[in-house]
Structures are given as structure tokens and as C-alpha cells.
Amino acid sequence: MGTRNFDDYTELVMNCHLGKLGKLFKDWGPAVSLVAGSVVLLFGVISCRTATRSVVVLPDVPGAEYIGSKECAQCHEEIYRGFATADHARLMAEGPNAVHAGCESCHGPASLHAQSGGEVKPPYIFTAGRPQTTSYGAHLALPPARATETVCFQCHADVRGQFNLPNHHPVPEGKMSCRECHPPHKGSSHIGGGTAKLSQNESCLRCHAAQGGVHVFEHEALREGCTVCHTAHGSVNAKMLTVRDANLCMKCHFQQVSGGRILIGGSDHTVRVQQGTCWSAGCHEAVHGSRVSSSLRF
């Protein structure tokens, strides 16, 4: 078959197929367009819903109703303006008459509080730390306020479990409050916010300033964030470490066995690893950074 004849044959086949596709689209086009449009609309609704609010089931309080966070602005205008940027502002009550209940998700239904002009306290008012005690150290039968973290644990049950581990921040003991690291009324619920690791460290460095430096020789793990080595709430390991003993260091510092020797960073550690953890064996005590040694020594 000549080149010209072959080209004509190819063009004829292509036109035939295109004609069939055109007829098929003409017959089914409206249905396909309708389905495609429905899918796009569905994804749009889902994305908008998840991006702006979260539906939660809120506790019922006899005699009180949920009125929505906007009503709180009548007296708490400054807090309300900031609260519009808060993570918790996305919460809303469930049901056909759903209202944005960010404030009330923690403070309870505020209808009686609003109607009384503030004379009636919201169902849930908070104090930092544990409930009040008598002079003998006994807890009052009916504490006047709920500890802040008790309210947080209603939604964050996994965090409650972490605080029950042997090593934890002293929140259950009443020496700290969740609010010290997680501001509820404005912006991100994490101090520092954002996704940058260094900004996440701000929460930790407010209390652990010495660990933040300035160091001449910095442990590069600091750039990845404190939570690379430490859990934020509680751990079974000492110092709230994510991994026990020298195994923590081995996550980043490659261990090589050569000729019966254990090499780490090209240096022979065969005997050293038998003397204890990397920081307790007298080798790398300055685990966060050092001013005198690139090997992280004091």
C-alpha cells in the first residue's frame, strides 16, 4: 500500500471512530454532563462544610438552651472578635436548627446567662487546676467550678489517657492548665501555630528556655521540633521521650557493624554503647546543644 493510500485509509478510520464518539456523546452527553456536574457540586459542598465547621453533639442542661456564639458578643465583644479566628469557632450544634456553638461547646448552653444579663452564670465556669479543698485537704462535695482540663478531656479523650502515663506534664496535679499551651479563644489552638517546626517549639520554650539555646553547636534535631524526641502530654519513658534509651538516637544516627565493631558517625562505639545511654555515659550530655563541643559535650 502506498503512502498516500495508507494516509487516506488512516483518515477514513479516524473519521469513522470520531463519528461514533460524536453520536455517542450526542445520545449520552446530557446524562454525562448532569452526573459530572453533580459530582463537582457534591465535592464543593463537602469541602466547604469541612473547611468551615465541625458538627458536635453537645450536652443538655435542664432549663437552658443553646443560643449561638454570636449572642456572646453582646457583652464579650473583644473575645468574640478574636474567637472568629480560633480553631474551636468551627464547632456547631447538631440538628436542623444548628447554631454555631463554639463558646457554648465549653461553657454550656447560655440562654439563662444571656437573659439574666450575666447574673446567672453559664452552666460551666472554670478554674485552673484542681477543685477547691477544705483546710483539711478534703475536696468540697460540690466544687463551685470545673477544672479547665476536665472540660478539654470531654472531647480529647486520647489526651486524658496520655496524662495517665507515668511521665507527664503536671496537668492532673493542677500545676499546669491546658490553656498554657493551647489558647482556646483566639487563633491556632497551639501557641506559635502554623506548620513550621520552629514555631511549634514556642510552646515548649516558654518554660524550657535553657533548652532552646543560644548554642554554638546546635543539635540539629531542634530544627525538627521538640516532639521529635519528646511527647507533648505523657509517656512511659523518662523525660517524656518518645523512644527508650539510646534507641532514640539511633533513629537518626546510623549504626554500622564492621569487623565486629559498632560504628556510629564513622567512630568506634563498641565499648561506649555498653556504658549507658548516649547522654548518660559521659559522651553527649548536652543533648540540645553545646557552646564548647561539636560532639554535644559540656
Side-chain angles (χ1 to χ4, degrees):
M1 182 182 293
T3 302
R4 178 60 184 172
N5 292 336
F6 180 79
D7 292 341
D8 292 342
Y9 176 75
T10 303
E11 183 177 357
L12 178 63
V13 172
M14 290 291 293
N15 290 335
C16 180
H17 283 295
L18 289 175
K20 290 181 179 179
L21 288 174
K23 185 177 184 303
L24 181 64
F25 184 78
K26 181 178 180 181
D27 295 338
W28 292 93
V32 172
S33 301
L34 179 61
V35 172
S38 300
V39 171
V40 172
L41 179 62
L42 178 62
F43 275 109
V45 171
I46 292 176
S47 62
C48 291
R49 183 176 181 82
T50 55
T52 58
R53 55 192 180 274
S54 298
V55 176
V56 296
V57 178
L58 301 172
D60 290 328
V61 176
E65 297 178 353
Y66 287 91
I67 57 177
S69 297
K70 189 174 182 179
E71 293 295 327
C72 303
Q74 301 290 338
C75 301
H76 308 282
E77 183 178 358
E78 183 176 353
I79 295 178
Y80 178 78
R81 286 201 305 267
F83 188 70
T85 66
D87 290 342
H88 287 98
R90 299 172 61 243
L91 300 177
M92 68 180 300
E94 191 177 32
N97 298 319
V99 295
H100 287 277
C103 301
E104 295 169 295
S105 64
C106 292
H107 295 281
S111 59
L112 300 179
H113 176 66
Q115 292 168 8
S116 67
E119 292 295 326
V120 177
K121 298 297 183 184
Y124 305 143
I125 55 177
F126 312 121
T127 60
R130 302 287 85 200
Q132 297 180 6
T133 60
T134 66
S135 58
Y136 298 100
H139 290 287
L140 298 176
L142 296 174
R146 305 172 67 195
T148 304
E149 64 272 10
T150 303
V151 180
C152 302
F153 291 159
Q154 286 188 336
C155 295
H156 303 282
D158 58 327
V159 177
R160 178 198 292 269
Q162 294 170 21
F163 278 120
N164 286 330
L165 296 174
N167 300 282
H168 55 258
H169 277 114
V171 171
E173 292 77 16
K175 297 180 180 179
M176 286 185 64
S177 169
C178 300
R179 293 184 58 180
E180 294 183 34
C181 298
H182 306 287
H185 291 138
K186 187 176 183 179
S188 171
S189 58
H190 294 79
I191 294 178
T195 58
K197 297 296 184 180
L198 290 179
S199 65
Q200 291 182 7
N201 288 351
E202 289 184 21
S203 298
C204 307
L205 297 180
R206 294 177 67 198
C207 297
H208 305 281
Q211 282 69 25
V214 178
H215 305 298
V216 176
F217 301 97
E218 180 187 53
H219 191 179
E220 294 184 0
L222 285 178
R223 303 177 186 178
E224 298 297 323
C226 302
T227 54
V228 170
C229 297
H230 302 277
T231 60
H233 301 114
S235 171
V236 296
N237 303 317
K239 301 183 183 297
M240 297 174 60
L241 295 175
T242 57
V243 180
R244 191 184 303 273
D245 302 329
N247 292 319
L248 177 66
C249 305
M250 300 305 172
K251 290 172 59 179
C252 298
H253 298 278
F254 181 68
Q255 180 177 344
Q256 180 181 9
V257 179
S258 176
R261 299 181 303 159
I262 299 176
L263 303 178
I264 302 176
S267 178
D268 188 355
H269 281 69
T270 308
V271 178
R272 300 173 190 171
V273 295
Q274 302 176 20
Q275 297 175 348
T277 59
C278 303
W279 57 89
S280 67
C283 296
H284 309 287
E285 312 98 321
V287 292
H288 299 98
S290 172
R291 295 184 179 181
V292 296
S293 173
S294 58
S295 296
L296 302 183
R297 297 176 178 175
F298 286 129

